[in-house]
Amino acid sequence: MPRGGGHCFSGRSTTDGIVLDLGRLNHVRVDTDGRARIGAGARLAPIYDGLDAHGLVLPAGCGPTVGIAGLTLGGGLGLLGRRYGLTCDALVRAEVVLADGRVVVCDAEHEPDLFWALRGAGGGQFGVVISLEFATAPGSRATRFELRWPEESAAEVAAAWQDWAPQSDRNLTVNLRIVAEAGRPLSVLAFGAALLDAAATHRLLADLLVRTGPTTAARFDPYLGWGDLKGSFAPPVEGGWGGAVTRSRSEFFAAAVPPSTVRELIDELTSAPDGRRELSFTALGGAYDDAALAATAYAHRGHRFLLEHVADDGSAWIDRSWRLAHAHGSGGVYVNFPDAALAEWATAYHGPNFPALVEVKRTYDPGEFFHFPQSVPATQPE
């Protein structure tokens, strides 16, 4: 099992077999043309610092310990995604060790089928990626913000956010987190960043506030460099996870969840929590949808948001909450948030791209040397 220096929510970066830890392949180099050459074991914090020194950014996640390889190979969501797209959309070349020991360099012209599959099918499927090359974007100043509402506004805020956030300005990303924890008031928090100054950010957020009613608290940190902005999320915003996540389930949504179901989700969330429970909404739209569905192996273009159900107590609440929302979901699941409970995982992760991925697997790993639960097979399942 290849491990790109980071972690996996479902524990797939460990195994009873062989783990190839690539953590020492952690170089970050920037060419004169702005291309970033990054070792597969590098993590996001040093990557952002290295690029920031050159005035450059890469659309990727917030977690400083997240490994660049796994993030990219599964797609790559982050605060710059609505402006610049997925992390895998920025990938222009990869160096891969195949099951038979060959080392190949793939891009749009060399081993194009493998290059296509590496952009969104998930890590460890077709070979061991040892280095990646990315197109970067110019760095810019940003405004970080947090907005809070009273607990009785949770359903109203969630309903308004679904209609507004995925269609907001591309320079703005607003995510929503609703947290229930024993002995504490319900937390309703919108947070994110804008590639704008504070005044412009206020103007864009005003439309959301008209829909939700008054906040109980608001925080704005303007004029942050992208490295400082990412660093500000290193300890999670209040209400975030301070330790390991026991379990989560998620799904993409192409349309808003009806208000009646939102209220059911909130009622379920707050029904006698014996630990910490969270509904986490991630805004999509914008540049995430600029590439055609068939352009990469990532199969979830055209969705409005991602909804995660997360708990630290492993309770049955996750499954109940997921089923409530699933009645209105797309059926698509982000492969970087693997879900062992999925019945039709191939369709959920890969959608219409799955048959093409089977062909790539047959070409580059016919013996299924790289195999783990819910991995692409070398033959089409019956």
Side-chain angles (χ1 to χ4, degrees), residues 203-360:
R203 286 194 295 271
L204 291 176
L205 290 172
D207 188 41
L208 175 63
L209 297 178
V210 167
R211 300 165 184 243
T212 62
T215 60
T216 57
R219 168 187 170 183
F220 289 82
D221 297 313
Y223 309 118
L224 296 176
W226 199 252
D228 292 335
L229 175 73
K230 291 291 187 176
S232 75
F233 287 102
V237 294
E238 184 183 343
W241 295 94
V245 175
T246 299
R247 186 170 175 239
S248 70
R249 301 194 70 183
S250 63
E251 188 168 359
F252 289 100
F253 287 76
V257 177
S260 59
T261 303
V262 170
R263 288 191 291 271
E264 289 184 86
L265 287 168
I266 301 299
D267 289 343
E268 187 67 51
L269 179 74
T270 55
S271 60
D274 51 357
R276 189 175 183 281
R277 300 173 178 177
E278 175 182 308
L279 295 173
S280 181
F281 298 78
T282 298
L284 302 175
Y288 285 126
D289 299 335
D290 286 351
L293 178 62
T296 65
Y298 179 85
H300 309 294
R301 312 284 182 177
H303 291 112
R304 296 174 62 83
F305 60 91
L306 174 72
L307 172 58
E308 296 173 75
H309 314 255
V310 191
D312 63 2
D313 57 10
S315 71
W317 163 79
I318 288 181
D319 295 312
R320 296 194 303 269
S321 184
W322 184 88
R323 284 193 296 269
L324 278 173
H326 176 62
H328 307 283
S330 70
V333 175
Y334 186 33
V335 72
N336 277 353
F337 295 161
D339 183 350
L342 288 174
E344 302 292 337
W345 61 266
T347 302
Y349 292 146
H350 308 300
N353 291 335
F354 184 66
L357 290 171
V358 173
E359 292 298 321
V360 176

Side-chain angles (χ1 to χ4, degrees), residues 111-122:
E111 314 286 349
D113 291 343
L114 178 60
F115 183 60
W116 173 84
L118 293 179
R119 290 175 292 159

